[in-house]
Amino acid sequence: MKPDLGDLNAFLAVARARGFREAARLTGASASGLSEAVRRLEDGMGVRLLHRTTRSVTATEAGQRLLERLGPALAEVDAALDVVNGFRDRPAGTLRLNVPVSATRLVLPAILPRFLAAFPEIRVELEVEDSFVDLVAARCDAGIRYDERLEQDMIALPIGPREQRFATVAAPAYLARHGVPQHPRDLLAHACLRGRFTSGAMPPWEFERDGEVVLVDPGGPLVVRIGAGTDLLVEAALAGSGVLFLFEDWLRPHLDSGALVPVLEAWWQRFPGPFLYYPGRRLVPAPLRAFIDFLRAAGGARQPGFPSAQAP
């Protein structure tokens, strides 16, 4: 007997979440129901797919092989079903987007409410993370990233502001105590508030003026994970703990109020804004097609093979 599609989805959810409770939280199903579905799948296939302990759930070798093939396959099933929705009078279904935290703060608030009002039968699900992911394996229809983080076989469509800057700022009280940096390398002698990617990489701070590019890797009293901890960095800067390097738009309210002041503004580097991107070798689900059409007024899509741009 062939495995049930629902049981396969249950296994996929549990294997990715590495636990039945977490999978239940993410899917809205019950942990007992997921457990029964996985047990039924293992019994039907005659092979153990998951190692279970009181503390963790991990895929067996057979389960890992199934997981690697199953994710893309089920994503294609979802895409095919969504394409059928395109024959309805109004697009319907679920649009799954993988986006960085900056997009939820600086890009989507001006777009999603209007899109949801225009397409009430479409549900948008966001996976918010700053690390780059395989969209197909993650079962996401599209993502938002910057040029230098896009793969060459992706189709990209401009979304949000077409030009941005990273700003260096500090509280007036901090600068009164420690002085105002006059050159990016002066930051090496200052307390700087840093962000680190999930991978462990800590990106340098990049500046540019009159064609001169300067990268610095300053130290400081606070390092947080980029995305999840960014608001803490802002609060630390407001409290006078050090110098912060972040999207100008993110910091704009504090700059306008005077709670934070610009540092090295002549060196702030401009870079192209983000893109909505999606694979070019698969069916485009109806909700994604509706979203793409909704965005086209802001700019045209570019085909695979576009050159990457410089951005932090």
Side-chain angles (χ1 to χ4, degrees), residues 148-303:
E148 87 287 357
R149 303 196 74 192
L150 299 183
E151 298 178 14
Q152 292 299 305
D153 60 350
M154 293 288 170
I155 294 177
L157 177 71
I159 185 172
R162 295 325 312 141
E163 185 177 79
Q164 293 180 283
R165 292 195 300 179
F166 264 95
T168 322
V169 302
Y174 172 86
L175 296 174
R177 292 194 308 269
H178 300 282
V180 179
Q182 301 300 313
H183 188 278
R185 294 190 185 91
D186 293 344
L187 293 171
L188 297 175
H190 281 262
C192 293
L193 310 171
R194 302 292 303 274
R196 188 193 304 275
F197 286 115
T198 305
S199 65
M202 188 181 297
W205 292 3
E206 187 169 352
F207 300 88
E208 182 176 7
R209 186 177 69 176
D210 299 330
E212 179 186 3
V213 176
V214 177
L215 278 70
V216 296
D217 192 15
L222 179 62
V223 178
V224 306
R225 176 177 169 181
I226 290 175
T230 302
D231 283 334
L232 179 58
L233 289 178
V234 176
E235 291 301 320
L238 289 167
S241 299
V243 181
L244 177 61
F245 183 78
L246 189 61
F247 289 98
E248 178 185 6
D249 293 339
W250 196 312
L251 297 168
R252 178 47 55 192
H254 305 300
L255 288 167
D256 290 344
S257 72
L260 295 173
V261 296
V263 174
L264 299 169
E265 186 170 7
W267 287 88
W268 291 2
Q269 189 180 59
R270 298 181 182 275
F271 56 93
F275 292 84
L276 179 81
Y277 73 102
Y278 57 97
R281 296 193 301 268
R282 58 176 294 192
L283 297 171
V284 177
L288 177 57
R289 173 53 58 193
F291 193 55
I292 291 170
D293 291 343
F294 185 81
L295 294 174
R296 283 194 182 278
R302 296 189 296 167
Q303 297 302 314

Side-chain angles (χ1 to χ4, degrees), residues 11 42-43 45-52 59-63:
F11 161 73
E42 290 178 326
D43 289 347
M45 298 184 69
V47 62
R48 180 174 291 278
L49 300 173
L50 297 174
H51 291 302
R52 303 165 177 82
T60 64
E61 182 178 356

